[in-house]
Amino acid sequence: MTTHPLTVVKCGGNPAVDAAGICADLARLVRAGHSFVLVHGGSGEIGRLAGRLGVPQRTLLAPDGVSTRHTDSATLDVVVLALAGAVKPRLVARLARHGVPAVGLTGLDGGMLRARRKAVVRAVVDGRTVLVRDNHSGRVDTVDTTLPRALLAAGHLPVVSPPAIDEDGRPVNVDADRAAAALAAALGADRLLLLTGAPGVLGDPDDETSLRSTVRVAAHGAPDASATGGMALKLVAAREALAGGVATVRVADGRVADPVTRALDGAGTLVHLAEAAAVPGPTGREVPV
């Protein structure tokens, strides 16, 4: 029986992240009465599998500086194979070896994660903003919590990843950090921990000693001027979780011993939502990625 608030943990796909250590730490905490949902990506495994299959990979840089994976139809197949066929079974098996009854899910299962497909994506190429089509990615806009709630009530630990299902019933790739944020908000989780291949949010991306203990993210637009690439996207996810009612969001190191325990004890970077001077209309709430 759990005695602690629900925590959603996102296990980063960076190869440096110690997934085995995260699973071992989760198991210790579950035995102590904690309740978790584990969300994972798999950028390292996606890249490795794409290379083996000869599927070219492309990164899109949005006008606000946030980078995302370009998901054409071949890359979508790689994403599904890598996440559901390789990363997730390893995580479930590791948790099982520690006595944790985990259940692996994608956003497709039970229609858990529903997304709006991005038919066109804006990207900066050679200094010009262009429109990229043939894109099989989207943004989660609704979450059906029936399945994860039933699993949690039965004492199971849900292990969740993309893809999601779009408005036409087709699978689409979604960012795993933002999926974790949407799931945390929908479940009413108390905490979201984003475990990554860095100590947290850095003032200088090339200097791991420049860890920022706290960061305030802008309510709209680019989340933080010093964050780029994948870290900028994590801060977008943090913003969305906080706006959705999650009390605590922390970006912390997934490479260290006992990474979940350390994050719960205050390691990494605590993210706050900055006060907005003015609230735009409904269309202004969309975050371009």
Side-chain angles (χ1 to χ4, degrees), residues 133-262:
R133 304 182 190 276
D134 186 29
N135 188 54
H136 296 266
S137 68
R139 175 182 173 183
V140 174
D141 60 5
T142 60
V143 178
D144 186 336
T145 62
T146 303
L147 191 51
R149 287 188 189 280
L151 291 170
L152 288 166
H156 297 288
L157 194 160
V159 180
V160 182
S161 76
I165 187 168
D166 75 4
E167 58 269 35
D168 298 317
R170 298 174 299 185
V172 288
N173 189 22
V174 293
D175 176 71
D177 290 311
R178 298 178 79 180
L183 193 56
L187 287 168
D190 183 68
R191 295 172 295 229
L192 171 63
L193 307 180
L194 301 171
L195 301 181
T196 187
V201 182
L202 304 177
D204 177 355
D206 297 320
D207 179 7
E208 291 205 353
T209 67
S210 65
L211 175 66
R212 301 169 65 183
S213 59
T214 61
V215 168
R216 289 195 176 273
V217 295
H220 307 281
D224 185 86
S226 68
T228 59
M231 188 57 73
L233 201 49
K234 290 185 186 304
L235 292 182
V236 169
R239 169 171 64 197
E240 292 170 353
L242 292 165
V246 179
T248 303
V249 180
R250 189 173 289 276
V251 181
D253 204 332
R255 305 166 300 175
V256 298
D258 303 329
V260 182
T261 298
R262 289 179 185 230

Side-chain angles (χ1 to χ4, degrees), residues 30 79 83 121 176 189 194 208:
V30 166
V79 168
L83 299 186
V121 176
L194 301 171
E208 291 205 353

Side-chain angles (χ1 to χ4, degrees), residues 71-99:
T71 309
D72 57 17
S73 59
T75 298
L76 179 62
D77 288 341
V78 172
V79 168
V80 175
L81 285 170
L83 299 186
V87 179
K88 192 185 312 301
R90 286 200 294 265
L91 291 171
V92 171
R94 282 167 175 155
L95 288 164
R97 286 197 292 272
H98 291 288

